[in-house]
């Protein structure tokens, strides 16, 4: 069983739709990161969470520590949001980051 | 600031050859790491360093060596390349392991 599971694997949306990407993990964590990988391959860090909620522009990330679950929301989606979104978890007591396999998002105009 | 730089961007090796992937950062970050990304799999940690002179193995260290003689540089050495090492390699740095990671642009390596 993967330690970090993301869903869905692929997502196609129309411009303007509200999008949710989910991440679940198996054991206690110190921090959870959301990353964006552009079609050209570059990786950018979007959020780091250890509790609660963070917002940046049209992006919102939440985490529920008890349920071991995090969500990334995109409001008013735009074609430029098309990318792979990756959840990465830093497990408590280790230096390990474990990455999900990513959610490939395509937003159509 | 240049951020995290990686060279080369592309490389083709023959089986058995050795090479070094270069990674440098100019943000005075203590934590640096190397990942490989393969189709259908998440990024996997190869080696990491928590400061100059200190390195440790990640999830998939076999066939790779690292050293950290300065805060800025963290090269990854392939000792004897194998086709299984065909991958995209990313270097990343952060202020500390709990902080936002900054990624380099990646090196696409093909071993024939």
């Amino acid at each position: 069983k993967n330690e970090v599971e993301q869903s869905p694997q692929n997502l196609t949306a129309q411009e303007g739709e509200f999008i949710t990407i989910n991440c679940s993990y198996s054991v206690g964590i110190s921090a959870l990161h959301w990353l964006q990988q552009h079609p050209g391959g570059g990786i950018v860090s979007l959020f780091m969470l250890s509790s609660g909620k963070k917002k940046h522009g049209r992006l919102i990330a939440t985490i529920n520590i008890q349920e071991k679950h995090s969500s990334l929301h995109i409001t008013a989606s735009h074609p430029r949001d098309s990318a792979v979104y990756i959840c990465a978890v830093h497990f408590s007591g280790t230096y390990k980051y474990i990455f999900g396999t990513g959610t490939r998002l395509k937003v159509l105009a | 600031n240049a951020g995290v730089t990686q060279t080369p961007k592309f490389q083709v090796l023959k089986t058995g050859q050795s090479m070094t992937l270069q990674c440098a950062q100019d943000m005075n970050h203590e934590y640096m790491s190397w990942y490989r990304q393969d189709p259908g799999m998440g990024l996997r940690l190869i080696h990491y360093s928590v400061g100059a002179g200190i390195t440790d193995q990640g999830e998939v260290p076999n066939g790779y060596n690292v050293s950290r003689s300065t805060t800025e540089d963290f090269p990854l050495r392939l000792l004897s390349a194998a086709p299984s090492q065909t991958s995209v390699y990313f270097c990343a740095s952060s202020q500390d392991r709990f902080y936002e990671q900054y990624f380099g642009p990646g090196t696409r390596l093909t071993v024939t």
Side-chain angles (χ1 to χ4, degrees), chain A residues 3 30-31 33 35 37 40-46 48 86 90-91 93-102, chain B residues 31 33 35 37 40-45 48 50 56 58-59 90 94 96-105:
Chain A
E3 293 173 279
S30 299
H33 297 249
L35 311 169
Q37 186 166 25
I43 300 174
V44 174
S45 182
L46 298 174
M48 191 198 74
I86 301 168
H90 185 255
F91 288 112
T94 79
Y95 281 96
K96 275 174 43 170
Y97 278 101
I98 300 293
F99 293 76
T101 53
Chain B
Y31 185 85
S33 49
Y35 300 94
Q37 185 176 40
M41 305 186 74
L43 287 148
R44 291 182 292 168
L45 179 65
Y48 65 92
V50 298
D56 206 347
E59 200 180 342
F90 288 95
S94 63
D96 183 86
R97 59 192 164 113
F98 297 115
Y99 285 74
E100 173 186 2
Q101 289 202 77
Y102 293 82
F103 286 81

Side-chain angles (χ1 to χ4, degrees), chain B residues 5-35:
Chain B
T5 58
Q6 286 183 241
T7 56
K9 285 197 166 77
F10 301 94
Q11 183 70 50
V12 179
L13 289 178
K14 293 190 187 313
T15 297
Q17 287 184 317
S18 63
M19 80 160 294
T20 299
L21 307 185
Q22 301 291 344
C23 174
Q25 52 91 9
D26 61 359
M27 297 172 281
N28 203 34
H29 285 168
E30 291 295 330
Y31 185 85
M32 294 186 75
S33 49
W34 276 102
Y35 300 94

Side-chain angles (χ1 to χ4, degrees), chain B residues 36-103:
Chain B
R36 59 179 290 174
Q37 185 176 40
D38 301 296
M41 305 186 74
L43 287 148
R44 291 182 292 168
L45 179 65
I46 304 171
H47 285 283
Y48 65 92
S49 168
V50 298
I54 307 169
T55 64
D56 206 347
Q57 295 180 350
E59 200 180 342
V60 287
N62 292 342
Y64 307 95
N65 269 359
V66 292
S67 60
R68 184 101 179 264
S69 56
T70 66
T71 299
E72 294 77 22
D73 299 298
F74 190 44
L76 178 73
R77 294 184 191 84
L78 278 70
L79 308 171
S80 176
S84 60
Q85 293 178 304
T86 293
S87 188
V88 181
Y89 291 85
F90 288 95
C91 176
S93 76
S94 63
Q95 186 178 333
D96 183 86
R97 59 192 164 113
F98 297 115
Y99 285 74
E100 173 186 2
Q101 289 202 77
Y102 293 82
F103 286 81

